[in-house]
Amino acid sequence: MAGMAGMAGMAGMAGMAGMAGMAGSGLSNQAGAAVGALAFPVLGPVGVVAVRQYVAALVLLAVARPRLRAFTWRQWWPVLLLGGVFGTMNLSLYSAADRIGLGLAVTLEFLGPLTIALAGSRRRLDAGCAVLAGAGVVVLMRPRPSADYAGMALGLAAACCWASYILLNRVVGRRVPGAQGAAAASAVSALAFVPVGVAVAAAHPPTAGAVLCAVTAGVLSSAVPYLADLLTLRHVPAQTFGLFMSVNPVLAALAGWAILGQGLGTAEWAGIAAVVAANAASLATQR
């Protein structure tokens, strides 16, 4: 009995650690994006994304230590595509956040993994979830004088990139051991952003504060979530992890409000809630 109680206690502590890890990962990711947005007036979204890619590459290369010379072309081509998608996804998201706010940008981006989750399903519940998410998007993108359709289009582009990122990650995961593929892809993306970073620095000389915000964004939105997720998935089922991920649009909206002063109206909150509820319902009822 004592042994069973001890095992139950250890399981409970592991579960609590997993929940804390998921919460910390989500908060860190969205807070990092909000802090990065503080550097937009100096570096612009492109400059902030460039710094974020550099930080992500340094962290992943240090953790995974990929054996790049041993990669075959069959391994390299999905890695190259993944690196391109990774950079484009972050650039689209940050550009969207600059125009329509962090909360709405992340909500639209979240349609990417939601589409992957619902694609191919024949359940009536998932069809209902798709309708609910669609209704939320209609509310967010409804015509109004202040609507920024270019920013919304960038958010949808980020969603397409995230869906592609998930599919390519599956291919890379099957062909490259461990986290070596993700590390190599981050290095490819960082190299592609080197001339971009040089051009931004030449056109808009960075201030120390702007660089600090951009580096902080890279650490909070790349390094911390990666390591936290790596530890969390040891204690939490993948389905539970995916379910908790669905609150990221809410966390992004709260980070945008707390750090950037980006308030949202009732209609925007309703649209975000619809997208979050659709994803949560679909994941919670999967076998």
Side-chain angles (χ1 to χ4, degrees):
M1 293 293 291
M4 294 179 63
M7 292 177 64
M10 291 178 63
M13 292 180 62
M16 291 294 293
M19 293 297 294
M22 289 188 294
S25 174
L27 288 171
S28 177
N29 193 4
Q30 304 309 330
V35 171
L38 296 174
F40 285 175
V42 178
L43 300 177
V46 177
V48 174
V49 171
V51 175
R52 174 176 172 171
Q53 301 306 102
Y54 305 153
V55 173
L58 289 174
V59 171
L60 288 174
L61 288 173
V63 172
R65 297 183 180 181
R67 300 173 59 187
L68 301 179
R69 294 183 179 180
F71 282 18
T72 65
W73 174 243
R74 184 172 178 273
Q75 294 172 315
W76 264 119
W77 75 258
V79 165
L80 293 173
L81 289 177
L82 183 62
V85 166
F86 184 40
T88 306
M89 177 177 68
N90 286 331
L91 182 58
S92 300
L93 174 64
Y94 277 54
S95 298
D98 186 37
R99 302 180 68 101
I100 62 177
L102 185 61
L104 298 187
V106 171
T107 302
L108 292 176
E109 183 198 34
F110 210 79
L111 295 174
L114 178 58
T115 300
I116 295 295
L118 297 178
S121 174
R122 297 182 179 179
R123 298 190 307 168
R124 293 181 180 179
L125 176 62
D126 284 337
C129 291
V131 172
L132 179 60
V137 173
V138 169
V139 170
L140 294 175
M141 302 186 68
R142 69 192 187 283
R144 58 192 186 280
S146 60
D148 189 327
Y149 293 106
M152 294 177 186
L154 287 166
L156 293 177
C160 293
C161 288
W162 197 356
S164 302
Y165 181 81
I166 292 171
L167 297 176
L168 283 168
N169 249 324
R170 293 177 181 175
V171 177
V172 171
R174 288 194 297 266
R175 299 184 182 183
V176 184
Q180 293 188 52
S186 69
V188 169
S189 181
L191 287 174
F193 270 92
V194 168
V196 175
V198 172
V200 170
H204 307 282
T207 63
V211 172
L212 179 61
C213 286
V215 171
T216 301
V219 172
L220 293 181
S221 295
S222 297
V224 173
Y226 174 77
L227 296 175
D229 293 348
L230 196 65
L231 296 174
T232 297
L233 285 170
R234 297 178 181 178
H235 306 291
V236 176
Q239 183 178 1
T240 304
F241 180 81
L243 185 62
F244 191 89
M245 282 283 291
S246 65
V247 304
N248 267 283
V250 176
L251 295 177
L254 292 175
W257 167 74
I259 298 175
L260 303 173
Q262 297 173 345
L264 295 174
T266 303
E268 285 72 24
W269 276 113
I272 291 173
V275 174
V276 170
N279 185 75
S282 176
L283 288 174
T285 56
Q286 286 180 3
R287 295 181 180 177

